[in-house]
Amino acid sequence: MTIQEFIQASAQQFQPKTPQAALLAAKEGILPAQAYIYKASSVKPLFEEPFDLEELQRILSRQDNDLETDILLMKVLGKLSHHQDAETALFAAESMNAIESRYNRRIEEAAKAVEETPTAAAHRHCAEALYDLALLSSQTAIRKFYLKEAFIMARKLEDLKEYTKEDGLFLVSILNALDMHAQSKQVLAALKERFGKDDSDILEAEAAVAFARRDFMGVILIYLRLGKKKKYLDSRELAALAYWTEQR
């Protein structure tokens, strides 16, 4: 699991408040080691209180912020929206609306593309846009709404001949975010029939489902299976294998 993957999955995991808490969680196997690395290395002036409003405005003015940056911005702005200074609170609220509007426009454009040219690529782009907006939202009801919409769009890919293993794994990610782990296992079972039961990506997705269910022994057993095909694993998979089974 990379740092980027950890950030995207963090909404589904225990979220430590301090680097020390993250370190303890990693030692106990509750979180991957990346949790501590991320928490320990993400101490930036922008995200420390008191917040630097000028720096916030500078970053908000950029048009190329990625999802991870926008998620962090939304967390900071969410706190500032309750600031005792009315102007600061208004600035935060308007900035949050601006970020959400940008993602909504992306969804509208993607949905229009699906209507005009219902290709697999168009469906993927739309599902990803919906998923990203879900991760951006801190409100449970809104998050679930967009996750369900992403699921509906991603599910349509199963009926297209361009359906890929990655499409199925993305579907599993959505289901995991919805805490629908039984359905995740069903999708994984179908992927095994279609792409092979020993596929390392599918096994890793199984491990992610087990992790989301706090079935840490299940995670270890899956990685022990992966260890049998160690010579075929890439560096990222080998790192995960070493973390969960101490096989190096």
Side-chain angles (χ1 to χ4, degrees):
M1 179 184 284
T2 64
I3 294 297
Q4 181 178 355
E5 289 168 338
F6 167 73
I7 296 172
Q8 290 180 324
S10 63
Q12 307 161 35
Q13 300 173 335
F14 162 70
Q15 297 185 36
K17 300 296 184 183
T18 65
Q20 180 62 23
L23 178 59
L24 291 173
K27 285 182 176 178
E28 293 297 323
I30 298 173
L31 288 177
Q34 285 82 357
Y36 170 68
I37 296 170
Y38 170 68
K39 198 69 180 179
S41 63
S42 63
V43 182
K44 301 177 182 178
L46 174 63
F47 304 114
E48 288 180 344
E49 297 187 49
F51 300 119
D52 186 334
L53 295 184
E54 289 187 5
E55 182 66 7
L56 273 172
Q57 289 176 320
R58 184 186 70 79
I59 295 179
L60 284 164
S61 68
R62 297 191 319 212
Q63 298 299 311
D64 59 347
N65 289 332
D66 57 20
L67 176 63
E68 289 73 31
T69 299
D70 284 336
I71 288 174
L72 291 171
L73 282 170
M74 289 292 280
K75 289 181 179 179
V76 171
L77 293 168
K79 290 184 178 181
L80 286 175
S81 67
H82 301 290
H83 200 281
Q84 60 185 4
D85 178 67
E87 289 188 11
T88 299
L90 179 61
F91 157 74
E94 290 178 342
S95 298
M96 291 173 73
N97 285 335
I99 293 173
E100 289 175 345
S101 294
R102 189 169 76 249
Y103 280 80
N104 274 312
R105 285 195 299 272
R106 180 185 164 201
I107 290 172
E108 290 171 2
E109 293 170 359
K112 184 178 179 180
V114 169
E115 290 181 5
E116 294 176 350
T117 312
T119 61
H123 281 83
R124 286 189 194 103
H125 182 62
C126 191
E128 289 167 359
L130 290 161
Y131 183 70
D132 287 351
L133 184 54
L135 295 185
L136 195 71
S137 178
S138 61
Q139 298 183 41
T140 302
I142 294 176
R143 177 188 293 266
K144 285 186 176 180
F145 171 79
Y146 283 110
L147 283 172
K148 289 177 180 178
E149 291 296 305
F151 171 79
I152 292 170
M153 185 61 65
R155 196 65 186 263
K156 293 178 180 179
L157 287 164
E158 289 183 319
D159 300 325
L160 302 177
K161 64 180 181 180
E162 296 92 344
Y163 180 73
T164 66
K165 177 180 67 177
E166 287 70 27
D167 293 328
L169 295 176
F170 177 54
L171 194 59
V172 170
S173 297
I174 297 172
L175 290 167
N176 282 348
L178 286 166
D179 292 327
M180 299 173 66
H181 307 308
Q183 290 86 339
S184 292
K185 294 176 73 173
Q186 290 176 1
V187 174
L188 286 169
L191 286 174
K192 284 182 178 181
E193 290 184 8
R194 197 162 183 171
F195 300 102
K197 65 178 181 179
D198 293 323
D199 182 274
S200 59
D201 293 328
I202 296 174
L203 286 173
E204 278 198 300
E206 276 194 297
V209 173
F211 182 84
R213 296 175 60 207
R214 302 294 188 264
D215 178 13
F216 304 119
M217 181 55 67
V219 177
I220 293 171
L221 291 174
I222 290 168
Y223 274 101
L224 286 173
R225 287 175 60 191
L226 274 168
K228 294 178 180 179
K229 46 188 303 183
K230 192 173 180 180
K231 64 180 180 180
Y232 301 108
L233 302 181
D234 60 28
S235 58
R236 179 185 57 80
E237 291 166 337
L238 287 171
L241 176 67
Y243 171 80
W244 286 105
T245 68
E246 297 185 355
Q247 291 186 31
R248 302 183 185 279

